[in-house]
Amino acid sequence: AEKNIYCAVVSNKRGVSLRAEAEHLGWGHYFVKTIGADDAPRDKPHPDPALLALDGSGIAQNHHLWFIGDTGVDLACAKAIGATAILYGEHDTVGGMHDDFPFALQVRNHQELLILL
């Protein structure tokens, strides 16, 4: 937020519940959009929710766009929109693959993500 980076959440948690949780935690203001299940015609791994998160942003779908996620479904969604896939969390991976999906980088925790940013 301090660096004015466009941040959106794309989750398979139901959209209504996701937004309520973000507001309850006081995190809502960190994200331009919070997109959950049932907000787009199809959920992840399809590109629809990510495209909805980008709608109106003017951000191009290319390798400069980062999609950070902790599951193979997230990595598949990143690939579907042409984004750079970044795996989040303590996962055992082999050769830049997780759940048979490629990723460019891995951050194991929030501190590593902040350093990357």
Side-chain angles (χ1 to χ4, degrees), residues 6 54-60:
Y6 185 95
L54 292 172
D55 188 41
S57 71
I59 296 172

Side-chain angles (χ1 to χ4, degrees), residues 63-106:
H63 68 278
H64 295 292
L65 173 64
W66 291 2
F67 195 109
I68 303 166
D70 62 351
T71 68
V73 170
D74 296 319
L75 302 176
C77 188
K79 182 179 179 180
I81 63 168
T84 294
I86 300 174
L87 180 62
Y88 182 91
E90 296 280 343
H91 301 278
D92 291 328
T93 60
V94 176
M97 298 289 284
H98 175 66
D99 291 346
D100 296 325
F101 293 99
F103 60 92
L105 299 166
Q106 181 176 8

